[in-house]
């Protein structure tokens, strides 16, 4: 049996100009995956979107007192599990307290985490000693 | 952000000449729409044919334009969305807010 593992570890400055780069990595991964039977174009868009939203969120919550602050994005694929971890050094937030968007009275913000949760299988946000990590899992 | 504004049939058509709208450039789109509305262009069609990716901040910029146009008794509609972009409006149910037309002719037929 052929077991293929992919791991991509990227560290970027907390600047939105890098969102395209990060999203593009997700899109390329979807196109290169072996043995994926689903809609590859849809997966490519979804991974681009989820990585873009998660990274933008980390940049938004970054530590602006530190001009050298960074966001780390770790993508790990093994067997049928795609695992994304996005690390930030901000104050963090309570994922469980983020409400669903009000679809009857839509607002400009607040859709990012909803999109991530809707398109992926598991989302958690954990405070570690020196950073926070948003962990996203998608079963392929 | 590359934007091209044309007046066609009395309607302000904003051509978004970017493949991607995300948190890096969405504020420029929001500001451009706000500027148009403040200048009195309140009947707007945003042409999205070139856009192959939009994130939540891009949707938010368009929603801001929609609300600002409506506040001045105007309207902001969308045209020429690619399938993946259209799916974002469906996912967020914003397809119930915006009029979304297949092409500009259909938009003109309904908005003028």
């Amino acid at each position: 049996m052929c077991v293929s593992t992919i791991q991509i570890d990227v560290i970027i400055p907390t600047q939105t100009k890098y969102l395209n780069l990060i999203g593009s990595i997700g899109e390329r991964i979807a196109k290169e995956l072996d043995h994926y039977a689903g809609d590859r174009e849809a997966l490519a868009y979804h991974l681009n979107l989820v990585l873009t939203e998660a990274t933008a969120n980390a940049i938004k919550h970054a530590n602006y007192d530190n001009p050298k602050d960074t966001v780390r994005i770790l993508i790990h694929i093994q067997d049928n599990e795609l695992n994304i971890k996005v690390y930030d050094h901000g104050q963090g937030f309570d994922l469980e307290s983020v409400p669903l968007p009000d679809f009857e009275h839509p607002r400009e913000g607040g859709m990012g985490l909803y999109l991530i949760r809707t398109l992926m299988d598991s989302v958690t946000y954990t405070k570690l000693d020196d950073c926070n990590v948003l962990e996203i899992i998608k079963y392929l | 952000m590359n934007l091209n504004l044309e007046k066609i049939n009395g309607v302000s058509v904003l051509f978004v000449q970017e493949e991607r709208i995300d948190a890096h450039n969405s504020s420029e789109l929001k500001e451009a729409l706000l500027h148009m509305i403040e200048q009195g262009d309140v009947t707007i069609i945003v042409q999205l044919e070139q856009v192959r990716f939009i994130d939540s901040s891009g949707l938010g910029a368009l929603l801001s334009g929609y609300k600002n146009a409506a506040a001045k008794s105007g309207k902001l509609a969308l045209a020429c969305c690619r399938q993946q972009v259209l799916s974002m409006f469906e996912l967020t149910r914003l397809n119930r807010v915006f009029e979304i037309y297949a092409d500009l002719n259909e938009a003109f037929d309904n908005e003028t």
Side-chain angles (χ1 to χ4, degrees), chain A residues 28-100:
Chain A
R28 284 302 304 268
I29 286 172
K31 291 178 178 172
E32 304 294 339
L33 280 176
D34 292 331
H35 313 301
Y36 182 70
D39 182 340
R40 216 172 264 272
E41 288 297 320
L43 181 68
Y45 194 99
H46 293 166
L47 293 184
N48 188 342
L49 181 69
V50 164
L51 281 162
T52 298
E53 297 287 354
T55 306
N57 201 48
I59 290 171
K60 191 166 74 181
H61 291 102
N63 179 1
Y64 289 103
D65 293 335
N66 175 8
K68 292 185 177 172
D69 193 14
T70 55
V71 173
R72 179 183 177 204
I73 300 106
L74 182 64
I75 305 167
H76 184 91
I77 304 156
Q78 188 159 18
D79 300 328
N80 71 333
E81 183 181 309
L82 186 150
N83 185 302
I84 296 168
K85 291 192 179 88
V86 180
Y87 298 84
D88 73 79
H89 302 99
Q91 291 206 325
F93 63 96
D94 180 8
L95 183 67
E96 297 311 314
S97 71
V98 177
L100 273 175

Side-chain angles (χ1 to χ4, degrees), chain B residues 14-82:
Chain B
L14 186 68
F15 293 82
V16 180
Q17 312 277 36
E18 297 281 348
E19 286 198 351
R20 185 177 164 94
I21 309 175
D22 66 16
H24 185 56
N25 58 9
S26 59
S27 59
E28 290 177 56
L29 175 61
K30 182 178 169 179
E31 290 301 319
L33 289 168
L34 188 60
H35 181 72
M36 286 169 62
I37 293 161
E38 284 173 346
Q39 299 295 309
D41 290 335
V42 295
T43 305
I44 300 168
I45 297 169
V46 182
Q47 204 267 24
L48 293 167
E49 187 174 17
Q50 296 292 320
V51 179
R52 52 175 291 274
F53 178 89
I54 188 166
D55 75 351
S56 63
S57 73
L59 297 173
L62 293 170
L63 184 62
S64 164
Y66 176 89
K67 288 182 173 179
N68 285 317
K72 296 211 169 184
S73 304
K75 192 167 177 189
L76 184 148
L78 309 174
C80 311
C81 293
R82 295 186 184 209

Side-chain angles (χ1 to χ4, degrees), chain A residues 16-17 19-20 23-24 27 31 41-42 45 48-49 52-53 56 103-104 106-108 111-112 114-115 118-119, chain B residues 20 22-24 30 52-57 59-61 63-64 67 84-85 87-88 91-94 96-97:
Chain A
T16 54
K17 69 177 180 180
L19 292 175
N20 191 357
S24 300
E27 200 163 314
K31 291 178 178 172
E41 288 297 320
Y45 194 99
N48 188 342
L49 181 69
T52 298
E53 297 287 354
F103 294 113
E104 298 306 316
R107 292 187 303 112
E108 282 175 52
M111 289 280 187
Y114 161 76
L115 290 169
T118 301
L119 296 172
Chain B
R20 185 177 164 94
D22 66 16
H24 185 56
K30 182 178 169 179
R52 52 175 291 274
F53 178 89
I54 188 166
D55 75 351
S56 63
S57 73
L59 297 173
L63 184 62
S64 164
K67 288 182 173 179
Q84 304 265 28
V85 170
S87 72
M88 289 294 291
L91 202 56
T92 54
R93 302 182 208 176
L94 289 173
R96 302 194 304 203
V97 173

